[in-house]
Amino acid sequence: MHVIQKLKLGFWRPGILCWLAVLFVLGVVAVDWNHTTGLTTLLRFGDQFASQRLPELNGVPLRTYPGVGYDGQFYSQLAVNPDVRQPAVQHMLDNPRYRSRRILVSAVVHFLSGGSPWLALQLFAFVNVAVWLLLGWRLWLRLSDAGWQGAGAWLGCMLGIGALDSVRLSLTDLPAMLLIFLATEAAVRNRPRTATLIMAAGVLARDTSLLTAALPATGHLRSMPNWIRHVGTVALIALPLALWSAWIAWYVPVGDPVGTGHFSVPGISLGRNLLTCARELAAGNFDSRYLFGLLAGVSFTWQAVYLLRLTSDNPSPWLRIGLPYAVFYFLIGDAVWKGYWAVGRTCLPMAFAYNLMLVRRPKFWWHLVLGNLCVLHAVYRLLPD
């Protein structure tokens, strides 16, 4: 009866756009499937790392790209063999301490694959597709009553460069975003312990999820007892990551635990990216890296500034997520800004918080467009090569 009532009220019409997006993503994944290599197109194995691959992959058919490939090739091999103490595993990783810290998805896939290298690779490639569908479903349940605004916010989240590039490249960003979303739902239902447990798992999927540690906090933030309780919650969320990082530091002798060039003086790398893109465009170089790099700098900055202006004494769970990422955004360094899509993935929770905080607020459509200028490019990048 509830579904029929929604149909009569016409709420299904905005949902058509979401269904079309779902069919598009599934269609692209179906095209990427190959009867020999499976879904390894999504893992982006590069031929420059071919000599470093795990011995378990000898004889396993893989789709390989010229050059260095992308990060999914490392995380998927951790799903084949997550024992980072082994020299072969450390040799396979481009940065062993950095990559192995994001172990959750690889460990789960390794368990589900039962030790089969081929199955582990296929499951890891499909994880982001399944997560995208699950996250999209949960998000629509939250937004369906908002009509066309809900559909617009849904599309901004699910077709953004952060979400679609995580699917396209089989990365850890979208699984971490799903855990953040589930923790948010628990917080909204006044279940801070459940939210804390989910977030403790989330930091093992992607360490930057620790920025959302304020999510389970309840009560007025100017109250000292609430602050003490909040500090304890943050410590519980950080504990699994701290223990795992200490274990890695003990057993893995090589690698930079934070990467290089990932942080900068506030705004410097953002400004450098904008100047580089503007200079290249002025010289007649309309490569998408520069055209959409410029649009991304404007769009992401708009998101961050919008969220920073929404501060309050007891912010909503989504604002508790968005504010730390809005500050973090300005600290992102040159290594990430080399491709604006990496910034979009890194700040994916900020994009979700931005789009969700827009619903039922003034000038919704203007803000939706300005904060999601790269959606068309994200859709284009997902298309088969």
Side-chain angles (χ1 to χ4, degrees):
M1 180 62 69
H2 184 62
V3 174
I4 295 175
Q5 289 174 347
K6 281 197 171 186
L7 288 174
K8 287 181 177 179
L9 290 172
F11 288 160
W12 64 274
R13 295 191 185 97
I16 287 179
L17 296 177
C18 304
W19 276 111
L20 290 175
V22 169
L23 292 175
F24 167 74
V25 171
L26 291 179
V28 170
V29 173
V31 171
D32 281 332
W33 169 267
N34 180 278
H35 70 281
T36 302
T37 60
L39 284 175
T40 56
T41 298
L42 301 176
L43 301 178
R44 299 281 163 164
F45 279 91
D47 58 11
Q48 290 188 22
F49 284 102
S51 62
Q52 296 177 222
R53 292 175 190 163
L54 291 176
E56 291 93 328
L57 297 189
N58 292 336
V60 176
L62 302 172
R63 170 68 188 278
T64 301
Y65 290 83
V68 297
Y70 214 76
D71 301 351
Q73 64 184 317
F74 306 118
Y75 297 123
S76 61
Q77 289 183 82
L78 278 176
V80 174
N81 185 353
D83 188 355
V84 295
R85 296 171 299 179
Q86 295 186 13
V89 177
Q90 295 178 20
H91 180 67
M92 170 271 294
L93 296 170
D94 62 336
N95 189 339
R97 286 186 174 179
Y98 179 72
R99 299 294 179 197
S100 57
R101 194 166 62 242
R102 300 171 176 178
I103 194 64
L104 181 67
V105 179
S106 299
V108 170
V109 170
H110 178 76
F111 174 78
L112 294 176
S113 67
S116 168
W118 187 87
L119 183 58
L121 294 181
Q122 305 308 318
L123 286 176
F124 194 91
F126 188 70
V127 160
N128 270 272
V129 181
V131 166
W132 190 89
L133 293 171
L134 177 57
L135 182 56
W137 170 59
R138 300 299 303 179
L139 183 61
W140 182 244
L141 290 180
R142 186 187 186 281
L143 292 172
S144 59
D145 289 338
W148 288 107
Q149 286 194 11
W154 190 95
L155 293 171
C157 292
M158 302 308 298
L159 296 186
I161 192 69
L164 289 189
D165 248 38
S166 189
V167 172
R168 173 176 172 265
L169 300 170
S170 297
L171 301 172
T172 61
D173 308 85
L174 201 57
M177 185 65 240
L178 173 63
L179 292 173
I180 291 173
F181 188 88
L182 294 177
T184 305
E185 289 189 321
V188 169
R189 294 189 178 105
N190 197 26
R191 298 175 180 173
R193 292 181 181 178
T194 302
T196 300
L197 289 174
I198 295 174
M199 289 308 306
V203 296
L204 292 177
R206 189 170 178 85
D207 39 11
T208 51
S209 296
L210 191 59
L211 289 169
T212 63
L215 176 60
T218 57
H220 202 291
L221 293 183
R222 291 182 180 177
S223 167
M224 183 56 68
N226 286 339
W227 265 106
I228 294 174
R229 185 166 57 250
H230 174 49
V231 170
T233 300
V234 171
L236 287 175
I237 292 173
L239 183 61
L241 178 63
L243 293 176
W244 177 240
S245 298
W247 189 90
I248 290 172
W250 181 265
Y251 284 104
V252 181
V254 292
D256 186 341
V258 296
T260 55
H262 288 182
F263 302 100
S264 75
V265 175
I268 294 298
S269 293
L270 166 62
R272 188 178 290 122
N273 168 75
L274 293 173
L275 288 173
T276 298
C277 292
R279 183 172 59 248
E280 292 294 331
L281 292 172
N285 185 357
F286 293 99
D287 185 276
S288 61
R289 175 184 293 271
Y290 302 116
L291 175 59
F292 285 96
L294 182 63
L295 292 177
V298 173
S299 191
F300 298 159
T301 302
W302 188 275
Q303 290 183 12
V305 172
Y306 182 89
L307 289 170
L308 289 170
R309 293 179 61 192
L310 293 178
T311 56
S312 64
D313 291 337
N314 190 23
S316 72
W318 279 108
L319 194 54
R320 292 173 191 263
I321 292 170
L323 288 176
Y325 273 93
V327 174
F328 175 68
Y329 164 73
F330 292 102
L331 301 175
I332 292 175
D334 292 338
V336 187
W337 272 112
K338 283 182 179 179
Y340 86 88
W341 41 86
V343 179
R345 293 196 316 270
T346 301
C347 293
L348 182 57
M350 181 178 77
F352 267 70
Y354 173 80
N355 285 297
L356 289 171
M357 294 297 294
L358 286 181
V359 176
R360 296 189 176 94
R361 289 179 180 268
K363 300 180 181 179
F364 169 84
W365 295 106
W366 284 103
H367 288 299
L368 183 72
V369 172
L370 287 171
N372 296 282
L373 294 175
C374 298
V375 164
L376 291 179
H377 193 222
V379 171
Y380 174 78
R381 280 171 60 84
L382 188 67
L383 294 173
D385 296 328

